[in-house]
Each structure stands twice: as C-alpha cells, then as structure tokens.
C-alpha cells in the first residue's frame, strides 16, 4: 500500500485514497482534517489531493479534464499498533467531515439527487 521508500524509523505505513465527487469537496475535506495534528510523535501523517486513477493517469500523465478529486492520506508509524490507533482516530474524524458534507453541501446533495433520479428512471 505504501508508495514511499521504507523509513527505518517509521517502518509501518498505509495510504488511503478516498474518491470524492468534486475537487472542491476533496479540498474541503483536506482543509478540515489537516488542522488536527497527530498527537503521537510515533506517527506521521500527510495529506494531498490527486487525480482519480485511469489508464492515462497510471503512466504519470493525467488526462486534461481530470481534477484532483481524490483525498490521499499517507500514514507512517513506528509500530502496527500505533498505525492502527492513528488510523482509527482518523476514520472517526473523516466520518464527521463526510457527514457534514452530506447534510450541508450542495455538490453532495446534487450527486445524491442524480442517483435517486437514476433509480426512479431505471
């Protein structure tokens, strides 16, 4: 799962890619989550937004109309236990951010409305 070279101080790593409907929502999620610093010096975390994987993006050249709508979170930790604890806390925070987006954001509501319309039409 890790895409970075192995760090002897932080040998345990995990990369989480979360696709979101738009680049704006990915950016909002990043900005909401980045303010919470890791409490343990035994864990390092970084955030970025990337373009969704596609056949053209796999060779390093994203398509011209691709936007960075995937939130990437990379964790490195000294032990598997520390990695698990940090990721569990992150998942709780992520759940809150996504819940607020689902309830209040017009982009998310628009996607939900389209899905419901497709179910009725289909």
């Amino acid at each position: 799962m890790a895409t970075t070279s192995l760090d002897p101080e932080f040998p345990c790593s995990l990369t989480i890619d979360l696709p979101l409907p738009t680049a704006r929502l990915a950016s909002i999620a990043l900005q909401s989550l980045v303010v919470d610093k890791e409490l343990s010096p035994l864990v390092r975390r970084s955030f970025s937004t990337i373009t969704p994987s596609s056949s053209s993006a796999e060779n390093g050249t994203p398509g011209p109309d691709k936007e960075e709508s995937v939130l990437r979170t990379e964790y490195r930790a000294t032990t598997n236990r520390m990695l698990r604890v940090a990721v569990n806390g992150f998942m709780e925070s992520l759940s809150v951010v996504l819940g607020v987006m689902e309830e209040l954001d017009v982009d998310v509501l628009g996607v939900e409305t389209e899905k419901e319309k497709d179910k009725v039409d289909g």
Side-chain angles (χ1 to χ4, degrees):
M1 283 192 197
T3 58
T4 59
S5 61
L6 189 61
D7 182 349
E9 290 184 44
F10 297 91
C12 305
S13 63
L14 177 68
T15 299
I16 302 167
D17 287 345
L18 175 70
L20 292 162
T22 67
R24 187 178 71 78
L25 290 174
S27 176
I28 290 170
L30 183 146
Q31 293 171 21
S32 299
L33 294 165
V34 77
V35 297
D36 292 330
K37 302 298 180 204
E38 278 301 321
L39 299 177
S40 174
L42 305 176
V43 178
R44 301 279 163 87
R45 174 181 71 188
S46 65
F47 291 104
S48 61
T49 54
I50 60 170
T51 58
S53 294
S54 66
S55 58
S56 61
E58 288 175 4
N59 62 12
T61 55
D65 60 340
K66 294 289 184 182
E67 56 180 15
E68 294 184 345
S69 61
V70 176
L71 174 65
R72 173 168 281 181
T73 308
E74 295 178 289
Y75 271 95
R76 293 178 296 134
T78 56
T79 65
N80 284 328
R81 180 182 181 281
M82 291 305 300
L83 181 63
R84 178 181 52 81
V85 168
V87 170
N88 282 344
F90 167 72
M91 290 297 179
E92 288 181 24
S93 296
L94 181 61
S95 176
V96 170
V97 169
L98 294 176
V100 169
M101 285 180 170
E102 184 177 21
E103 291 294 321
L104 301 177
D105 197 278
V106 292
D107 285 352
V108 174
L109 293 176
V111 170
E112 290 298 318
T113 303
E114 289 175 16
K115 285 181 183 177
E116 290 172 9
K117 182 181 173 185
D118 289 343
K119 286 181 185 177
V120 171
D121 292 342

Short mmCIF file of all heavy atoms in Angstrom, two decimals, residues 7-40:
data_model
loop_
_atom_site.label_atom_id
_atom_site.label_comp_id
_atom_site.label_asym_id
_atom_site.label_seq_id
_atom_site.Cartn_x
_atom_site.Cartn_y
_atom_site.Cartn_z
N ASP A 7 11.11 3.78 5.56
CA ASP A 7 11.82 4.59 6.53
C ASP A 7 12.10 3.72 7.74
O ASP A 7 11.16 3.21 8.37
CB ASP A 7 10.96 5.80 6.90
CG ASP A 7 11.64 6.74 7.87
OD1 ASP A 7 12.69 6.39 8.43
OD2 ASP A 7 11.10 7.83 8.08
N PRO A 8 13.36 3.51 8.12
CA PRO A 8 13.66 2.62 9.25
C PRO A 8 13.06 3.10 10.58
O PRO A 8 12.76 2.29 11.45
CB PRO A 8 15.18 2.59 9.32
CG PRO A 8 15.67 3.65 8.41
CD PRO A 8 14.56 4.05 7.50
N GLU A 9 12.85 4.40 10.73
CA GLU A 9 12.25 4.91 11.96
C GLU A 9 10.74 4.71 11.98
O GLU A 9 10.14 4.62 13.04
CB GLU A 9 12.57 6.40 12.13
CG GLU A 9 14.02 6.69 12.44
CD GLU A 9 14.24 8.17 12.70
OE1 GLU A 9 13.42 8.77 13.42
OE2 GLU A 9 15.22 8.71 12.17
N PHE A 10 10.12 4.68 10.79
CA PHE A 10 8.67 4.52 10.66
C PHE A 10 8.39 3.41 9.64
O PHE A 10 7.95 3.69 8.52
CB PHE A 10 8.02 5.83 10.21
CG PHE A 10 8.19 6.95 11.20
CD1 PHE A 10 9.27 7.81 11.12
CD2 PHE A 10 7.26 7.13 12.22
CE1 PHE A 10 9.44 8.83 12.04
CE2 PHE A 10 7.42 8.16 13.14
CZ PHE A 10 8.51 9.01 13.06
N PRO A 11 8.62 2.15 10.01
CA PRO A 11 8.52 1.06 9.04
C PRO A 11 7.09 0.67 8.64
O PRO A 11 6.89 0.03 7.61
CB PRO A 11 9.21 -0.10 9.75
CG PRO A 11 9.03 0.20 11.20
CD PRO A 11 9.06 1.69 11.31
N CYS A 12 6.11 1.05 9.43
CA CYS A 12 4.72 0.67 9.14
C CYS A 12 4.04 1.82 8.41
O CYS A 12 4.09 2.96 8.86
CB CYS A 12 3.99 0.36 10.44
SG CYS A 12 4.81 -0.90 11.41
N SER A 13 3.41 1.53 7.28
CA SER A 13 2.80 2.61 6.51
C SER A 13 1.48 2.16 5.89
O SER A 13 1.22 0.97 5.72
CB SER A 13 3.75 3.08 5.41
OG SER A 13 4.00 2.04 4.50
N LEU A 14 0.65 3.16 5.59
CA LEU A 14 -0.65 2.93 4.98
C LEU A 14 -1.02 4.16 4.16
O LEU A 14 -0.86 5.28 4.62
CB LEU A 14 -1.71 2.69 6.06
CG LEU A 14 -3.15 2.51 5.59
CD1 LEU A 14 -3.29 1.19 4.83
CD2 LEU A 14 -4.10 2.55 6.75
N THR A 15 -1.52 3.93 2.95
CA THR A 15 -2.01 5.01 2.11
C THR A 15 -3.49 4.79 1.89
O THR A 15 -3.91 3.69 1.47
CB THR A 15 -1.26 5.05 0.76
OG1 THR A 15 0.12 5.26 1.02
CG2 THR A 15 -1.79 6.16 -0.12
N ILE A 16 -4.29 5.81 2.17
CA ILE A 16 -5.74 5.74 2.00
C ILE A 16 -6.13 6.74 0.93
O ILE A 16 -5.88 7.94 1.07
CB ILE A 16 -6.47 6.08 3.33
CG1 ILE A 16 -6.03 5.13 4.43
CG2 ILE A 16 -7.98 6.04 3.13
CD1 ILE A 16 -6.45 5.56 5.82
N ASP A 17 -6.75 6.26 -0.15
CA ASP A 17 -7.26 7.13 -1.21
C ASP A 17 -8.78 7.14 -1.13
O ASP A 17 -9.42 6.10 -1.23
CB ASP A 17 -6.82 6.63 -2.58
CG ASP A 17 -5.35 6.88 -2.85
OD1 ASP A 17 -4.73 7.67 -2.14
OD2 ASP A 17 -4.83 6.26 -3.80
N LEU A 18 -9.35 8.33 -0.95
CA LEU A 18 -10.79 8.48 -0.82
C LEU A 18 -11.32 9.32 -1.98
O LEU A 18 -11.11 10.53 -2.02
CB LEU A 18 -11.14 9.17 0.51
CG LEU A 18 -12.61 9.48 0.71
CD1 LEU A 18 -13.40 8.20 0.91
CD2 LEU A 18 -12.80 10.42 1.88
N PRO A 19 -12.00 8.68 -2.96
CA PRO A 19 -12.55 9.46 -4.07
C PRO A 19 -13.78 10.24 -3.61
O PRO A 19 -14.64 9.73 -2.90
CB PRO A 19 -12.93 8.39 -5.10
CG PRO A 19 -13.06 7.12 -4.34
CD PRO A 19 -12.21 7.26 -3.10
N LEU A 20 -13.85 11.50 -4.03
CA LEU A 20 -14.98 12.37 -3.72
C LEU A 20 -15.57 12.89 -5.02
O LEU A 20 -14.91 12.86 -6.06
CB LEU A 20 -14.53 13.51 -2.80
CG LEU A 20 -14.12 13.04 -1.40
CD1 LEU A 20 -13.29 14.08 -0.69
CD2 LEU A 20 -15.35 12.70 -0.59
N PRO A 21 -16.82 13.37 -5.00
CA PRO A 21 -17.48 13.79 -6.25
C PRO A 21 -16.77 14.92 -7.00
O PRO A 21 -16.80 14.95 -8.23
CB PRO A 21 -18.87 14.22 -5.80
CG PRO A 21 -19.09 13.54 -4.50
CD PRO A 21 -17.75 13.39 -3.87
N THR A 22 -16.15 15.86 -6.27
CA THR A 22 -15.51 17.00 -6.93
C THR A 22 -14.19 17.34 -6.25
O THR A 22 -13.94 16.96 -5.10
CB THR A 22 -16.40 18.27 -6.88
OG1 THR A 22 -16.51 18.69 -5.51
CG2 THR A 22 -17.78 18.03 -7.46
N ALA A 23 -13.36 18.09 -6.97
CA ALA A 23 -12.09 18.56 -6.40
C ALA A 23 -12.34 19.51 -5.24
O ALA A 23 -11.57 19.54 -4.27
CB ALA A 23 -11.25 19.23 -7.48
N ARG A 24 -13.41 20.29 -5.32
CA ARG A 24 -13.73 21.23 -4.24
C ARG A 24 -14.00 20.48 -2.95
O ARG A 24 -13.51 20.86 -1.88
CB ARG A 24 -14.93 22.09 -4.62
CG ARG A 24 -15.23 23.20 -3.63
CD ARG A 24 -16.40 24.06 -4.07
NE ARG A 24 -17.66 23.36 -3.97
CZ ARG A 24 -18.33 23.16 -2.82
NH1 ARG A 24 -17.84 23.63 -1.68
NH2 ARG A 24 -19.47 22.52 -2.80
N LEU A 25 -14.75 19.38 -3.02
CA LEU A 25 -15.04 18.60 -1.81
C LEU A 25 -13.77 17.93 -1.28
O LEU A 25 -13.57 17.85 -0.06
CB LEU A 25 -16.11 17.54 -2.10
CG LEU A 25 -17.51 18.09 -2.33
CD1 LEU A 25 -18.46 16.97 -2.75
CD2 LEU A 25 -18.03 18.81 -1.12
N ALA A 26 -12.91 17.47 -2.17
CA ALA A 26 -11.63 16.89 -1.72
C ALA A 26 -10.79 17.93 -1.00
O ALA A 26 -10.19 17.65 0.05
CB ALA A 26 -10.88 16.31 -2.91
N SER A 27 -10.78 19.15 -1.53
CA SER A 27 -10.02 20.23 -0.90
C SER A 27 -10.61 20.60 0.46
O SER A 27 -9.88 20.83 1.43
CB SER A 27 -10.00 21.45 -1.81
OG SER A 27 -9.36 22.53 -1.20
N ILE A 28 -11.93 20.65 0.54
CA ILE A 28 -12.59 20.96 1.82
C ILE A 28 -12.28 19.89 2.86
O ILE A 28 -11.97 20.19 4.02
CB ILE A 28 -14.11 21.12 1.62
CG1 ILE A 28 -14.41 22.39 0.84
CG2 ILE A 28 -14.84 21.12 2.97
CD1 ILE A 28 -15.86 22.51 0.39
N ALA A 29 -12.34 18.62 2.46
CA ALA A 29 -12.03 17.53 3.38
C ALA A 29 -10.58 17.64 3.87
O ALA A 29 -10.30 17.52 5.06
CB ALA A 29 -12.27 16.18 2.72
N LEU A 30 -9.66 17.92 2.94
CA LEU A 30 -8.26 18.07 3.30
C LEU A 30 -8.09 19.20 4.31
O LEU A 30 -7.44 19.03 5.35
CB LEU A 30 -7.43 18.34 2.05
CG LEU A 30 -5.93 18.45 2.25
CD1 LEU A 30 -5.20 17.90 1.03
CD2 LEU A 30 -5.49 19.86 2.51
N GLN A 31 -8.68 20.36 4.02
CA GLN A 31 -8.55 21.51 4.92
C GLN A 31 -9.18 21.25 6.28
O GLN A 31 -8.70 21.76 7.30
CB GLN A 31 -9.16 22.75 4.27
CG GLN A 31 -8.40 23.23 3.06
CD GLN A 31 -9.14 24.32 2.31
OE1 GLN A 31 -9.99 25.00 2.87
NE2 GLN A 31 -8.80 24.50 1.04
N SER A 32 -10.23 20.46 6.31
CA SER A 32 -10.91 20.16 7.58
C SER A 32 -10.09 19.20 8.43
O SER A 32 -10.08 19.30 9.66
CB SER A 32 -12.27 19.53 7.31
OG SER A 32 -13.09 20.42 6.60
N LEU A 33 -9.41 18.26 7.79
CA LEU A 33 -8.69 17.22 8.52
C LEU A 33 -7.26 17.62 8.89
O LEU A 33 -6.73 17.16 9.90
CB LEU A 33 -8.67 15.93 7.70
CG LEU A 33 -10.03 15.28 7.50
CD1 LEU A 33 -9.97 14.24 6.40
CD2 LEU A 33 -10.53 14.67 8.80
N VAL A 34 -6.64 18.48 8.09
CA VAL A 34 -5.24 18.82 8.31
C VAL A 34 -5.03 19.62 9.60
O VAL A 34 -3.92 19.61 10.16
CB VAL A 34 -4.66 19.55 7.07
CG1 VAL A 34 -5.10 20.99 7.01
CG2 VAL A 34 -3.15 19.44 7.04
N VAL A 35 -6.06 20.27 10.11
CA VAL A 35 -5.90 21.09 11.32
C VAL A 35 -5.67 20.24 12.56
O VAL A 35 -5.10 20.73 13.54
CB VAL A 35 -7.10 22.05 11.54
CG1 VAL A 35 -7.20 23.04 10.41
CG2 VAL A 35 -8.39 21.29 11.71
N ASP A 36 -6.11 18.99 12.54
CA ASP A 36 -5.89 18.10 13.68
C ASP A 36 -4.53 17.44 13.55
O ASP A 36 -4.32 16.57 12.71
CB ASP A 36 -6.98 17.01 13.76
CG ASP A 36 -8.33 17.58 14.10
OD1 ASP A 36 -8.38 18.60 14.81
OD2 ASP A 36 -9.33 16.99 13.66
N LYS A 37 -3.61 17.86 14.37
CA LYS A 37 -2.25 17.31 14.33
C LYS A 37 -2.23 15.94 15.01
O LYS A 37 -3.03 15.66 15.90
CB LYS A 37 -1.27 18.24 15.05
CG LYS A 37 -1.22 19.64 14.47
CD LYS A 37 -0.76 19.64 13.04
CE LYS A 37 -0.73 21.05 12.48
NZ LYS A 37 -0.84 21.08 11.06
N GLU A 38 -1.32 15.11 14.57
CA GLU A 38 -1.13 13.81 15.21
C GLU A 38 -0.62 14.04 16.63
O GLU A 38 0.30 14.84 16.84
CB GLU A 38 -0.13 12.95 14.44
CG GLU A 38 -0.71 12.24 13.26
CD GLU A 38 -1.85 11.30 13.62
OE1 GLU A 38 -1.79 10.62 14.66
OE2 GLU A 38 -2.81 11.25 12.85
N LEU A 39 -1.22 13.36 17.58
CA LEU A 39 -0.84 13.55 18.98
C LEU A 39 0.44 12.81 19.34
O LEU A 39 1.15 13.23 20.25
CB LEU A 39 -1.99 13.10 19.88
CG LEU A 39 -3.30 13.86 19.70
CD1 LEU A 39 -4.38 13.28 20.61
CD2 LEU A 39 -3.10 15.34 20.00
N SER A 40 0.72 11.74 18.66
CA SER A 40 1.89 10.93 18.99
C SER A 40 3.07 11.25 18.09
O SER A 40 2.91 11.34 16.86
CB SER A 40 1.54 9.45 18.84
OG SER A 40 2.71 8.67 19.03
#
